[in-house]
């Protein structure tokens, strides 16, 4: 449905996350009241974002996913659309848990947390949630226009939720300096406290407007303008003056394929973010006993120190393993005509025990029956190639003491375990394995 205004800025997709507009959402742009058979419903939030208490008549009762829902002759409740989440609040004391546009006719469906038997109801919109949405939605318009002016970047998606607020830009790269310039411009517009107007211009007036974004609809549609700065088609709720938005702060810019996702916050959310990050930074600086500006350098020093310590530790562990292996080989029991080493290690990594075992059986005529106690205890049984003993059979016997059957190997080298075992339990398993070795002689 081309609307014949191709002379304006490129047309962008208006709806949230680039999803196509639902039929109901199109109506959201084009009408401030809609006909529902015999009756008409008024979207009062279109002309007034600030009123939160009102009276209304229930004109239809319905349900959504099992929850009761009503349609009113007029409402200040904003339904989820255009990237902005729904309002919440009360209808005569009954919680309004969701507000949606009915696809078939654009009616605003108030989904309720309980039954609402009255026909004449009083509505109460949750103001702090609404105002937060108004600030972020208006902030988004300003930020989107600032990205057009400073970076020739068009906004192609908008998402607003309690946890994050983002816009998607149709460019794949933007420098941090340009993002700073965008932020500066946006905050200037806020400080100038410019009026924000939302209305349905007629065709003549529309022809005079430079719209940032034109909806793909026929006929009249709603325009939201930040005086002298930005005008765009929008169905959302906005503040009346830009100063109400408070600070606009970009938090991060992430690459997503060919586009960029810009996360930002306005007003109280920006303050909260600053408060949390400031506290975190102060804590980090205190922990590192340095000024906050020196935290990166202090972290870099720690990283280097850690690297050097790991290197030193590796060298020392290797020397310790060598020493341990030599010591064990010297103290080996040689009564059976070969060197026999039986040893349970505590607090040793099984990889380290394995290295000791390998060093031991590099000597001829040597049998090493070793184990590592701990959460993943292991038995490592091995012999030099010149002996006949079967280490797999010995391992099986050892593991049987633990009641497990996880392990295997070849006649000269076998390993298994994987359960939690104390040094005493490892010693008991090694003793059982040794019995098998002895029985083979
Ligand atoms: Zn808007």
């Amino acid at each position: 449905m081309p609307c014949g205004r191709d002379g304006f800025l490129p047309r962008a997709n208006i709806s949230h996350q680039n999803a196509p507009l639902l039929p109901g959402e199109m109506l959201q742009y084009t009408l401030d009241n809609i006909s529902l058979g015999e009756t008409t419903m008024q979207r009062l939030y279109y002309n007034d974002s600030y009123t939160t208490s009102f009276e209304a008549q229930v004109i239809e009762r319905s349900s959504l996913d099992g929850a009761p829902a009503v349609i009113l002759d007029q409402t200040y409740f904003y339904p989820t659309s255009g990237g902005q989440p729904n309002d919440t609040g009360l209808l005569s004391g009954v919680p309004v848990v969701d507000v949606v546009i009915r696809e078939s006719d654009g009616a605003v469906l108030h989904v309720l947390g309980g039954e609402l038997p009255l026909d004449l109801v009083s509505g109460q919109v949750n103001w702090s949630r609404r105002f937060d949405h108004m600030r972020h939605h208006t902030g988004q318009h300003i930020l989107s226009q600032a990205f057009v002016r400073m970076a020739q970047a068009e906004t192609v998606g908008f998402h607003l939720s309690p946890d994050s607020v983002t816009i998607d830009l149709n460019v794949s790269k933007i420098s941090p300096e340009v993002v700073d310039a965008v932020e500066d411009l946006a905050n200037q517009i806020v400080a100038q406290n410019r009026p924000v107007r939302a209305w349905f211009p007629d065709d003549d007036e529309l022809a005079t407007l430079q719209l940032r974004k034109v909806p793909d609809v026929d006929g009249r549609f709603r325009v939201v303008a930040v005086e002298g700065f930005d005008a765009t088609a929008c169905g959302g709720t906005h503040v009346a003056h830009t100063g109400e938005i408070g600070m606009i702060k970009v938090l991060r810019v992430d690459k997503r394929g060919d586009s960029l996702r810009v996360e930002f916050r306005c007003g109280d959310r920006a303050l909260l973010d600053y408060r949390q990050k400031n506290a975190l930074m102060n804590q980090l600086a205190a922990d590192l006993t340095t000024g906050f500006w020196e935290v990166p350098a202090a972290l870099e020093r720690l990283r280097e120190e850690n690297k050097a310590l790991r290197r030193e530790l590796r060298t020392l562990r290797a020397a310790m393993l060598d020493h341990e292996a030599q010591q064990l080989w010297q103290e080996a029991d040689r009564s059976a005509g070969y060197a026999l080493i039986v040893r349970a290690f505590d607090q040793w990594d099984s990889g380290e025990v394995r290295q000791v075992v390998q060093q031991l059986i590099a000597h001829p005529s040597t049998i090493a029956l070793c184990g590592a106690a701990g959460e993943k205890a292991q038995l490592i049984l091995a012999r030099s190639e010149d002996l006949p003993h079967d280490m797999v059979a010995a391992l099986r016997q050892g593991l049987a003491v633990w009641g497990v059957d996880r392990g295997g190997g070849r006649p000269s080298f076998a390993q298994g375990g994987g359960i939690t075992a104390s040094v005493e339990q490892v010693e008991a398993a090694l003793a059982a394995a040794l019995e098998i070795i002895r029985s083979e002689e």
Side-chain angles (χ1 to χ4, degrees):
M1 271 191 290
C3 63
R5 295 190 181 88
D6 288 343
F8 293 97
L9 290 167
R11 188 173 300 161
N13 196 331
I14 294 149
S15 80
H16 166 212
Q17 305 291 326
N18 287 341
L21 282 175
L22 299 171
E25 278 200 67
M26 272 187 209
L27 293 170
Q28 171 82 340
Y29 278 94
T30 53
L31 298 166
D32 57 356
N33 59 61
I34 54 167
S35 298
L36 302 171
E38 304 277 291
T39 50
T40 305
M41 80 157 291
Q42 296 268 340
R43 304 163 190 266
L44 298 174
Y45 53 81
Y46 261 175
N47 299 318
D48 172 4
S49 297
Y50 289 85
T51 298
T52 54
S53 301
F54 66 102
E55 307 264 290
Q57 190 80 35
V58 174
I59 56 173
E60 189 185 324
R61 293 179 187 279
S62 178
S63 68
L64 189 76
D65 299 330
V70 294
I71 294 167
L72 306 174
D73 64 340
Q74 54 176 5
T75 189
Y76 278 104
F77 278 92
Y78 184 80
T80 299
S81 54
Q84 180 181 331
N86 63 283
D87 286 327
T88 58
L90 299 169
L91 281 182
S92 293
V94 178
V96 176
V97 294
D98 197 3
V99 187
V100 298
I101 297 175
R102 187 159 65 188
E103 260 191 55
S104 56
D105 57 6
V108 176
L109 214 53
H110 304 75
V111 184
L112 304 170
E115 294 297 334
L116 179 62
L118 303 170
D119 284 333
L120 185 65
V121 295
S122 61
Q124 186 68 49
V125 174
N126 176 336
W127 170 246
S128 65
R129 178 178 163 100
R130 157 67 75 80
F131 189 48
D132 175 67
H133 293 165
M134 286 159 60
R135 294 169 109 181
H136 280 92
H137 206 147
T138 319
Q140 178 259 311
H141 286 223
I142 293 172
L143 202 57
S144 288
Q145 178 63 253
F147 271 111
V148 170
R149 295 195 183 195
M150 309 306 280
Q152 294 76 51
E154 300 287 339
T155 296
V156 292
F158 169 48
H159 174 72
L160 170 56
S161 78
D163 309 316
S164 86
V165 192
T166 59
I167 53 173
D168 292 336
L169 300 176
N170 68 345
V171 294
S172 56
K173 216 176 144 194
I174 215 160
S175 73
E177 294 75 24
V178 171
V179 174
D180 286 351
V182 166
E183 253 182 23
D184 287 345
L185 175 58
N187 283 286
Q188 249 173 47
I189 300 298
V190 169
Q192 288 162 355
N193 202 25
R194 298 186 183 213
V196 179
R197 183 183 169 212
W199 80 111
F200 289 83
D202 60 24
D203 281 352
D204 290 344
E205 188 180 11
L206 207 51
T208 68
L209 297 171
Q210 285 286 322
L211 294 190
R212 176 164 49 79
K213 181 170 80 174
V214 180
D216 215 356
V217 295
D218 285 327
R220 294 177 71 204
F221 56 85
R222 189 168 181 255
V223 169
V224 173
V226 175
E227 192 180 86
F229 184 67
D230 181 63
T232 190
C234 188
T237 56
H238 307 82
V239 297
H241 292 88
T242 58
E244 295 170 71
I245 298 166
M247 179 194 278
I248 299 177
K249 180 76 190 87
V250 171
L251 301 193
R252 51 191 291 175
V253 179
D254 288 326
K255 196 164 157 52
R256 293 171 72 92
D258 288 338
S259 64
L260 292 178
R261 176 155 291 183
V262 179
E263 187 181 357
F264 68 100
R265 292 193 188 174
C266 301
D268 289 349
R269 286 207 216 186
L271 174 63
L272 185 65
D273 185 63
Y274 185 19
R275 189 179 290 155
Q276 286 171 339
K277 283 176 180 161
N278 189 55
L280 187 67
M281 194 43 107
N282 284 344
Q283 186 59 51
L284 270 177
D287 287 349
L288 294 166
T289 56
T290 186
F292 76 86
W293 60 93
E294 284 172 335
V295 164
L299 280 179
E300 186 53 32
R301 272 200 303 280
L302 277 180
R303 203 177 292 128
E304 286 302 319
E305 213 173 283
N306 187 272
K307 223 190 283 175
L309 285 172
R310 280 169 175 277
R311 225 171 9 238
E312 198 175 330
L313 184 67
R314 259 200 308 276
T315 311
L316 287 173
R317 293 294 287 191
M320 185 191 77
L321 293 183
D322 260 10
H323 177 79
E324 186 74 20
Q326 275 177 33
Q327 188 90 6
L328 285 172
W329 198 71
Q330 276 164 16
E331 294 167 358
D333 172 2
R334 290 179 169 78
S335 58
Y338 52 82
L340 172 68
I341 298 105
V342 181
R343 178 65 189 269
F345 292 87
D346 196 13
Q347 311 281 339
W348 276 52
D349 177 86
S350 62
E352 291 173 339
V353 175
R354 202 180 154 105
Q355 279 182 48
V356 170
V357 168
Q358 267 155 349
Q359 283 195 39
L360 286 170
I361 62 164
H363 298 287
S365 294
T366 302
I367 293 180
L369 308 180
C370 295
E375 279 181 13
K376 284 184 179 164
Q378 291 280 313
L379 298 180
I380 301 165
L381 315 181
R383 63 160 167 81
S384 51
E385 293 296 338
D386 57 348
L387 292 176
H389 306 79
D390 181 6
M391 295 299 143
V392 177
L395 176 70
R396 204 165 294 134
Q397 194 65 25
L399 291 179
V401 173
W402 293 352
V404 293
D405 187 21
R406 272 179 293 184
R410 48 185 198 276
S412 62
F413 193 104
Q415 179 173 349
I419 61 157
T420 300
S422 65
V423 174
E424 291 71 27
Q425 286 170 310
V426 172
E427 281 170 346
L430 292 176
L434 181 58
E435 267 179 48
I436 295 294
I437 302 288
R438 297 283 197 216
S439 73
E440 288 180 13
E441 287 157 11

